[in-house]
């Protein structure tokens, strides 16, 4: 009988980022900036999304960013709720939400997402980042793999997991296996993460959702997405839109940016294949929980 993998006190049920090579028509998946698992607590009572740093990443930086994430606000973020004890193996846990990483969702869908889904992502992620910036923080790790698609809306994770401290203490793009296409040019040049850098990364992530890659040709995007993505990907941060402008353009009549019911995240916001895959994940995890329970 196979030995159950354990990380900290948790028993791993499955990896969150799974290979979908069987979907030969799907886009190539950009890497995740951390190792992510669905896991169970020792008493079999709780299911969590558990993250650990990549093998060559700085565990101290990883844990510092995870600690900061505990204080993040907003409905579309997944802050850490439990951290590894100091001096031990680095990991952090968040409440489990049945969801697919954005690259996996494209693979399951067999290609890019519909415009409605991408626009819903734009509004929800812009709202999440606006709240974060209001807390005087920058995410610094927005990329396709950082976005999880759940039935009721997206979740944004991987807060700062892409950062690694340089010799002068300035956070730099240094951890292994990361999606450098989402990195703002000013941060690639060694600058500190800034809110307008998150806007650039948001544009690259939306481009990926709509086309399967982060630097699409103009003809690959609809008119509304072409304008939005192009402005977000401006090399000069001063030419990028404010998050409030993005929300105002796409949800002008909404006080909360993403209302329930007939809003962007209403029924049908996700393609049927992705909805089915999320439901299958939830059922599979439930079945595995029975086996792992004491």
């Amino acid at each position: 009988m196979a030995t159950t993998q354990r990380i900290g006190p948790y028993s791993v049920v499955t990896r969150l980022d799974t290979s979908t090579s069987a979907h030969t028509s799907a886009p190539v998946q950009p890497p995740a900036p951390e190792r992510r698992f669905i896991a169970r607590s020792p008493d079999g009572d709780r299911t969590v999304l558990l993250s650990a740093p990549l093998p060559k990443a700085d565990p101290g930086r990883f844990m510092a960013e995870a600690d900061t994430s505990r204080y993040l606000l907003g409905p579309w973020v997944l802050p850490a709720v439990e951290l590894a004890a100091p001096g031990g193996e680095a990991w952090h846990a968040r409440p489990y939400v049945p969801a697919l990483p954005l690259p996996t969702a494209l693979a399951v869908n067999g290609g890019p997402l519909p415009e409605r889904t991408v626009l819903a992502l734009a509004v929800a992620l812009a709202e999440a980042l606006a709240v974060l910036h209001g807390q005087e923080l920058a995410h610094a790790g927005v990329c396709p793999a950082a976005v999880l698609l759940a039935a009721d809306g997206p979740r944004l994770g991987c807060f700062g997991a892409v950062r690694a401290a340089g010799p002068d203490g300035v956070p730099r793009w240094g951890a292994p296996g990361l999606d450098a296409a989402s990195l703002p040019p000013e941060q690639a040049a060694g600058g500190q993460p800034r809110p307008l850098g998150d806007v650039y990364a948001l544009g690259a992530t939306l481009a990926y959702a709509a086309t399967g890659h982060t630097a699409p040709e103009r003809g690959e995007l609809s008119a509304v997405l072409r304008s939005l993505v192009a402005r977000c990907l401006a090399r000069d941060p001063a030419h990028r839109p404010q998050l409030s402008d993005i929300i105002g353009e796409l949800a002008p009549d909404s006080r909360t940016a993403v209302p329930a019911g007939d809003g962007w995240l209403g029924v049908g916001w996700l393609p049927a294949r992705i909805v089915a895959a999320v439901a299958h994940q939830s059922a599979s995890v439930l079945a595995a929980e029975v086996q792992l329970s004491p």
Side-chain angles (χ1 to χ4, degrees), residues 102-118:
L102 180 57
T104 303
L106 264 68
V108 167
N109 197 50
L113 304 181
E115 181 183 70
R116 176 189 172 181
T117 302
V118 179

Side-chain angles (χ1 to χ4, degrees), residues 139-269:
H139 184 289
V142 179
C143 63
V147 178
L148 305 181
L149 301 187
D152 62 343
R155 301 294 192 278
L156 186 58
C158 300
F159 287 90
V162 297
R163 286 194 273 177
D168 54 0
V170 175
R172 301 191 188 281
W173 185 264
L178 297 170
D179 179 19
S182 301
L183 182 67
E186 65 273 17
Q187 192 175 331
Q192 293 192 32
R194 302 291 185 190
L196 284 172
D198 286 343
V199 174
Y200 181 96
L202 172 63
T205 299
L206 296 176
Y208 176 84
T211 68
H213 50 96
T214 54
E217 299 293 332
R218 285 179 56 85
E220 294 182 90
L221 295 167
S222 66
V224 63
L225 285 172
R226 186 183 312 132
S227 172
L228 174 60
V229 168
R231 285 180 291 143
C232 289
L233 292 180
R235 294 193 64 80
D236 184 346
H239 294 160
R240 297 172 197 157
Q242 297 293 321
L243 293 168
S244 58
D245 294 336
I246 296 174
I247 296 169
E249 290 172 18
L250 299 181
D253 300 322
S254 170
R255 294 176 62 84
T256 59
V258 187
D262 295 330
W264 282 117
L265 296 178
V267 175
W269 90 275

